[in-house]
Amino acid sequence: SAGWLLNFLHKQGDGFRDFYFDIDDVQAKVTLKPNLTHTFGVKLGMYDEGSNSTYLGLTQPQFIADPDQNAVPHDLLKVRRFSGSLSHTAILNANAVWNTTFFAYNTVRNWRRQDWDRSDRGREYLGIEGDPSIPGGAIFLLGSTGNRNREFNVAGLQSGVAVEHQLGNIRNKLDAGIRYVREEAGDKRINGDRFDSLRGILRDDEDRFGKAFSAYIQNRFFLSGRVIFTPGIRMEHYRYQRHILRQRVR
């Protein structure tokens, strides 16, 4: 037998402080069951988001003048994610089930943010938002950007078994499994020479790598209808590397 499911979600809006967002999310799933003891599954996903999200808040004079204003409307957050997984479930016997899943995803998050100062540093500004006569009351907008761009790649495999069994007159359930994950992250800062630049000079560049392995085993003792005793043990091992390829020298 076979089954499939397809979901599509679209959201858009103009939110508080003129923060627009536009989101598309697609999820697909296919399940195949060639016989009574084996089930195979495939899942695929795609997520795409665009918004002018920013972490720049309002000064007190700005909030008093207009709490809905956005001093940096050209900030741009783009997120795109592709994901997928393959799974297999095997019924070993009437009391044992074995599950295995391979999964992977790629996420790209690029964030253009216009540069600004909290005080007048004597530089050439495109504009001043707020009240510069009050200390900390204004935002001094520069004609440049700092693009914080990141990319994440993750892949992993996990496998586990669940076994129902008896110890004397006590019902038991044994769970055991392993999991391996490899992850990579790229982090870049690109300085643009305009307030809406997506490209420019690479200022910071670094790569991060991680490898993780874990294993666990636990046994549940169903002592009564309301009491369950679950002893178990879990082991985790993680290795991390950081490669700095380029960074600003102060």
Side-chain angles (χ1 to χ4, degrees):
S1 62
W4 62 274
L5 177 67
L6 178 64
N7 285 329
F8 172 71
L9 172 67
H10 174 76
K11 294 194 299 183
Q12 68 180 65
D14 297 319
F16 178 64
R17 290 184 60 203
D18 295 325
F19 290 154
Y20 75 84
F21 63 89
D22 195 332
I23 296 173
D24 291 307
D25 191 0
V26 181
Q27 299 288 330
K29 178 180 179 180
V30 176
T31 301
L32 302 175
K33 193 169 184 179
N35 52 52
L36 295 178
T37 59
H38 292 276
T39 302
F40 299 90
V42 179
K43 292 183 181 179
L44 298 174
M46 189 278 289
Y47 177 88
D48 185 80
E49 174 187 345
S51 70
N52 63 339
S53 178
T54 180
Y55 65 62
L56 178 61
L58 301 177
T59 66
Q60 188 66 31
Q62 285 180 294
F63 184 82
I64 294 174
D66 181 7
D68 293 330
Q69 66 176 290
N70 178 13
V72 284
H74 297 284
D75 282 10
L76 178 64
L77 174 67
K78 291 288 292 182
V79 179
R80 178 165 291 179
R81 183 177 189 267
F82 295 98
S83 60
S85 68
L86 301 173
S87 63
H88 173 236
T89 299
I91 300 176
L92 304 179
N93 55 51
N95 299 313
V97 178
W98 178 28
N99 291 292
T100 301
T101 302
F102 170 77
F103 58 91
Y105 66 83
N106 166 266
T107 302
V108 176
R109 192 227 66 180
N110 294 338
W111 200 352
R112 179 181 70 199
R113 302 207 294 259
Q114 184 175 354
D115 294 325
W116 42 267
D117 291 333
R118 285 288 185 182
S119 61
D120 189 350
R121 297 185 179 180
R123 298 196 280 187
E124 183 178 351
Y125 296 108
L126 288 182
I128 302 174
E129 301 288 339
D131 188 350
S133 66
I134 300 177
I139 302 296
F140 298 79
L141 300 175
L142 293 161
S144 58
T145 57
N147 293 274
R148 283 81 165 177
N149 297 342
R150 295 178 180 177
E151 182 173 5
F152 306 89
N153 293 294
V154 176
L157 178 69
Q158 62 184 35
S159 186
V161 64
V163 180
E164 296 269 1
H165 64 101
Q166 292 284 132
L167 280 179
N169 295 323
I170 301 176
R171 177 192 163 205
N172 284 250
K173 184 179 180 182
L174 176 69
D175 294 289
I178 58 173
R179 178 183 175 99
Y180 175 78
V181 176
R182 177 181 172 85
E183 56 189 8
E184 299 178 0
D187 192 346
K188 295 178 173 60
R189 169 159 177 152
I190 300 173
N191 289 340
D193 59 3
R194 285 175 47 87
F195 65 90
D196 58 353
S197 296
L198 292 172
R199 298 175 178 84
I201 298 174
L202 181 63
R203 196 194 79 176
D204 302 314
D205 186 9
E206 67 175 72
D207 294 326
R208 303 166 189 169
F209 305 90
K211 297 179 182 179
F213 175 80
S214 64
Y216 69 92
I217 185 170
Q218 69 174 28
N219 191 78
R220 299 181 186 179
F221 296 86
F222 295 84
L223 303 179
S224 69
R226 301 181 62 181
V227 179
I228 301 174
F229 175 57
T230 310
I233 187 171
R234 179 181 178 89
M235 181 273 291
E236 295 184 357
H237 177 72
Y238 184 75
R239 295 186 63 185
Y240 172 80
Q241 289 183 327
R242 183 183 180 194
H243 296 171
I244 299 176
L245 307 175
R246 186 181 182 92
Q247 68 179 159
R248 177 174 60 171
V249 178
R250 296 181 182 273

